[in-house]
Amino acid sequence: MTEEVAPGIFRIESDLGPRFMCQYLLVGTDASLLVDTGLESTPREVIEPVLAKLGVAPTFVLVSHADVDHCGGNRALREAHPHALFVCHEHDRRWIEQNTAMLNENY
């Protein structure tokens, strides 16, 4: 489910087992920002159809924090949009860049 919650701000909702998760897409005239990539399958199953429908590609991808439901789709999204700039807080960087570090140190 996708809803435009304010002009140019889209809430992208998808299933997370018994709960749901959301990514946000901010679309401006010069750039767009996607907040979080969800699980590994989220870009392909949920985000890409929204991007295609809106005719937009992410300029920036902001990973809010190092949890799998927020950054698990990074690889798939990067493959689909190799020119997008991925950003995160420096404290989360190691875990976001290395799955084994995230699993061993964060969980």
Side-chain angles (χ1 to χ4, degrees), residues 2-85:
T2 302
E3 176 184 4
E4 188 171 19
V5 296
I9 301 175
F10 298 86
R11 179 178 186 245
I12 303 168
E13 185 178 308
S14 56
D15 291 329
L16 181 61
R19 302 180 300 151
F20 64 91
M21 62 181 166
C22 297
Q23 292 78 43
Y24 287 86
L25 178 65
L26 289 72
V27 180
T29 55
D30 297 325
S32 62
L33 170 74
L34 176 67
V35 180
D36 292 334
T37 61
L39 301 170
E40 181 181 3
S41 61
T42 305
R44 181 183 74 262
E45 295 175 359
V46 182
I47 297 172
E48 286 300 328
V50 172
L51 294 173
K53 180 180 177 183
L54 296 174
V56 69
T59 309
F60 301 97
V61 177
L62 170 65
V63 179
S64 63
H65 64 283
D67 271 327
V68 188
D69 59 329
H70 293 266
C71 64
N74 284 4
R75 178 171 293 155
L77 201 78
R78 179 174 291 290
E79 288 172 358
H81 303 280
H83 298 295
L85 177 63

Side-chain angles (χ1 to χ4, degrees), residues 94-107:
R94 174 177 159 77
W95 291 341
I96 290 170
E97 289 182 342
Q98 300 175 29
N99 290 341
T100 55
M102 182 191 301
L103 294 174
N104 292 335
E105 300 167 16
N106 193 25
Y107 288 105

